[in-house]
């Protein structure tokens, strides 16, 4: 009987060590994801601030030059593009900080464990949405097709009828594709933020215990 008890204690100890090991491994992975997400968010915060400042400055220059009768026409389009960059950077940033607009009427009435379940569901939906947007952006930019065309945008457009790399800006004089690069960045950065949030929500759910 004592031998059975001893064996049971050993098995229990092994399970406990295995559980602790898995928890530590999960925490480590979550930590790496969170640090990466936080580092990206810091850069996005600075970039979004610079884009906002550029938008404001370009609008001021546009107003002043128009009032003086010496309009600098490209400032209008540049301000719009800077605002678009600011919007995408800020959208990714709000995912990291979970500060996007949300209706919490239902979740506010739930118990903490049920709220965590909803948080996991929302994070999973957000990640799925980023994957869908990523597929659309990949098909739009079509880097494989561009590579097969020998990086020749004219040959690429003639074979795929995708003219995104040839479409110029109206007044700045460069291709719009350079400004559209914010979209792949948004997909990558927002996906990392979603993964970090999802890992955090799952970790909190595991430590809080499953609802009865």
């Amino acid at each position: 009987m004592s031998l059975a008890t001893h064996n049971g204690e050993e098995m229990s100890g092994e399970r406990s060590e295995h559980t602790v090991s898995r928890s530590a491994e999960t925490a480590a992975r979550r930590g790496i994801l969170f640090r990466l997400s936080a580092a990206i968010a810091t850069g996005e915060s600075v970039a979004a601030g610079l884009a906002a400042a550029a938008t404001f400055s370009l609008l001021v220059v546009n107003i002043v030059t128009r009032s003086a009768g010496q309009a600098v026409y490209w400032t209008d389009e540049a301000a719009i593009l800077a605002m678009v960059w600011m919007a995408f950077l800020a959208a990714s940033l709000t995912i990291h900080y979970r500060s996007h607009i949300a209706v919490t009427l239902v979740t506010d009435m739930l118990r903490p464990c049920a709220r965590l379940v909803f948080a996991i569901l929302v994070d999973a939906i957000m990640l799925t949405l980023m994957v869908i947007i990523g597929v659309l952006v990949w098909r739009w930019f079509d880097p494989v097709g561009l590579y097969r065309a020998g990086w020749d945008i004219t040959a690429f457009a003639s074979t795929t009828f995708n003219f995104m790399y040839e479409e110029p800006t109206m007044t700045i004089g460069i291709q719009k594709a350079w400004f559209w690069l914010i979209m792949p960045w948004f997909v990558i950065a927002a996906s990392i933020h979603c993964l970090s949030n999802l890992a955090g929500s799952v970790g909190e759910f595991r430590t809080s215990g499953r609802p009865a």
Side-chain angles (χ1 to χ4, degrees):
M1 183 174 180
S2 58
L3 180 60
T5 304
H6 180 67
N7 291 337
E9 290 176 353
E10 286 185 351
M11 293 177 63
S12 177
E14 289 177 359
R15 285 196 298 267
S16 299
E17 290 177 0
H18 181 64
T19 302
V20 171
S21 177
R22 287 180 58 187
S23 299
E25 183 180 357
T26 302
R29 290 178 180 175
R30 154 66 168 146
I32 293 172
L33 268 176
F34 182 80
R35 287 194 296 270
L36 178 59
S37 177
I40 292 173
T42 300
E44 287 177 328
S45 179
V46 174
L50 292 174
T55 302
F56 176 78
S57 301
L58 288 167
L59 289 175
V60 170
V61 170
N62 190 21
I63 293 170
V64 172
T65 55
R66 284 180 182 273
S67 299
Q70 299 291 332
V72 181
Y73 294 104
W74 61 266
T75 57
D76 193 14
E77 187 176 19
I80 293 172
L81 293 171
M83 184 175 62
V84 170
W85 273 61
M86 178 191 67
F88 275 101
L89 291 167
S92 177
L93 198 60
T94 56
I95 295 175
H96 170 75
Y97 289 110
R98 298 180 182 271
S99 58
H100 44 272
I101 298 174
V103 179
T104 60
L105 181 63
V106 174
T107 55
D108 288 343
M109 297 185 294
L110 300 176
R111 294 181 178 180
C113 286
R115 291 181 188 176
L116 287 175
V117 172
F118 268 85
I120 293 172
L121 180 61
V122 169
D123 291 335
I125 292 173
M126 289 291 293
L127 182 58
T128 303
L129 179 62
M130 289 303 109
V131 171
I132 294 173
I133 295 175
V135 171
L136 295 176
V137 170
W138 178 271
R139 294 181 62 182
W140 185 34
F141 277 82
D142 193 8
V144 176
L146 187 60
Y147 170 76
R148 289 174 178 172
W151 306 107
D152 185 341
I153 59 176
T154 302
F156 171 78
S158 63
T159 55
T160 63
F161 299 101
N162 184 349
F163 300 95
M164 67 160 295
Y165 292 106
E166 288 189 331
E167 187 173 351
T169 52
M170 298 297 294
T171 56
I172 301 176
I174 60 177
Q175 280 76 16
K176 289 182 179 180
W178 292 107
F179 297 98
W180 289 335
L181 287 174
I182 187 60
M183 299 188 69
W185 169 261
F186 168 75
V187 170
I188 294 171
S191 296
I192 293 173
H193 296 326
C194 289
L195 279 171
S196 175
N197 291 344
L198 182 59
S201 297
V202 171
E204 289 180 17
F205 180 77
R206 286 179 174 177
T207 56
S208 66
R210 297 182 181 275

